[in-house]
Every structure is written in structure tokens, then in C-alpha cells.
Amino acid sequence: REVIDIEKSVNFYINILGFQPIPRPAFDVEGMWLWGHGLNFHVVKTADPEARQALRRRRVKYFHENLPSVDHIAFIARDCAVVRGVLEEQQVYFREFCSVRTGIRQLFFFDPDGNAIEISNCAPPLGEIRCALRSLLPTAMSADKS
């Protein structure tokens, strides 16, 4: 991910998503490598902070209006209530969606550079369209949380 502020972004990915820093070669561009959830995640400082900030504003506006149908990276959590608690504690704005049709509870939020992230309670098994965790769903189909 290209970012405006390396420290702010790295802290976000460590404290919110549980990534850990790993060694990174001494490239010409400032950055950091992170590891977690079976992924190697690269954070690199942008060469054009003004353009990146303008992109962030456009993405947050567009994503806010069109969630959950936007491009994003998704992770599965054992307990969405724990994730919700971390987001609330860290004062990260999020929206929550619960689908009766699929059995998926989704939390959408943004990293410091406006990239959309989803944490959900499950993913349907390969070839299926419904999760087996339907009992975790509330009676309402969708609930916003800020």
C-alpha cells in the first residue's frame, strides 16, 4: 500500500489488524514490511502526498456512499464483536452489515489512507453461497454503526 504517513499506517495495521513488522531490504523508498494472517503486507511512502490525500478524500466519499459494494481487502475473524470493540476503542469509524441471505456479518472501515477493509465472521465454503454461522446474525438485515 502506498501511504502518506508510514508510522500512522504501520501503527494502524499493527494495532487494529494484528500485523507484525518483519525485516525489509534497504530500498530507495521509505517503507515497512508487515506479516500477519498468512500475508506479507508492504507499506511504502508516497512520492506525492497531495495527490494521495486527494485520492483518499475521493475514496472515502465514494466508499461511504457505496458500501459494501466496493473494492476492498477482506479478512475473517472468529468473533466480530471483539473486532467491533477494538474499532470502537481505537475510535475507527466503521459500518456494519448483516446479510440474512448469506449468513455473513461484515464490518467495513478505512485505513489511514482511505483503503476499504472488511472483517467478516465467515466465508462460505468453496462452491457455496451461504455461511453455516446463521445463528450469529441479528434479526435486522443491516445496521450502521459509527
Side-chain angles (χ1 to χ4, degrees):
R1 295 258 181 205
E2 184 183 54
V3 302
I4 296 169
D5 183 326
I6 293 282
E7 185 177 343
K8 185 175 184 179
S9 292
V10 166
N11 285 335
F12 175 88
Y13 283 99
I14 289 172
N15 296 323
I16 304 297
L17 294 178
F19 282 87
Q20 298 297 316
I22 59 172
R24 176 182 182 262
F27 294 118
D28 292 338
V29 177
E30 183 182 353
M32 194 151 190
W33 285 0
L34 303 170
W35 172 259
H37 316 289
L39 300 171
N40 188 345
F41 194 81
H42 299 177
V43 178
V44 180
K45 187 168 182 86
T46 185
D48 190 344
E50 290 86 23
R52 187 71 194 171
Q53 185 63 26
L55 176 63
R56 179 191 185 282
R57 283 191 297 271
R58 287 192 311 272
R59 288 177 64 93
V60 169
K61 181 181 185 307
Y62 175 80
F63 286 4
H64 180 75
E65 294 170 355
N66 294 288
L67 284 174
S69 299
V70 297
D71 64 326
H72 59 278
I73 186 169
F75 298 94
I76 298 173
R78 287 186 188 95
D79 189 342
C80 282
V82 170
V83 175
R84 187 183 321 105
V86 169
L87 295 174
E88 289 171 344
E89 179 182 301
Q90 297 289 325
Q91 299 179 337
V92 174
Y93 170 82
F94 66 94
R95 291 181 66 193
E96 185 170 0
F97 297 88
C98 301
S99 171
V100 172
R101 184 170 47 103
T102 64
I104 300 174
R105 175 184 301 250
Q106 301 164 293
L107 300 168
F108 283 92
F109 52 99
F110 303 102
D111 75 3
D113 286 271
N115 298 298
I117 299 169
E118 170 193 347
I119 305 287
S120 65
N121 63 331
C122 64
L126 191 59
E128 300 291 328
I129 59 169
R130 183 185 286 302
C131 286
L133 302 173
R134 289 183 56 86
S135 62
L136 296 177
L137 291 173
T139 54
M141 282 223 12
S142 176
D144 282 352
K145 179 74 177 177
S146 56

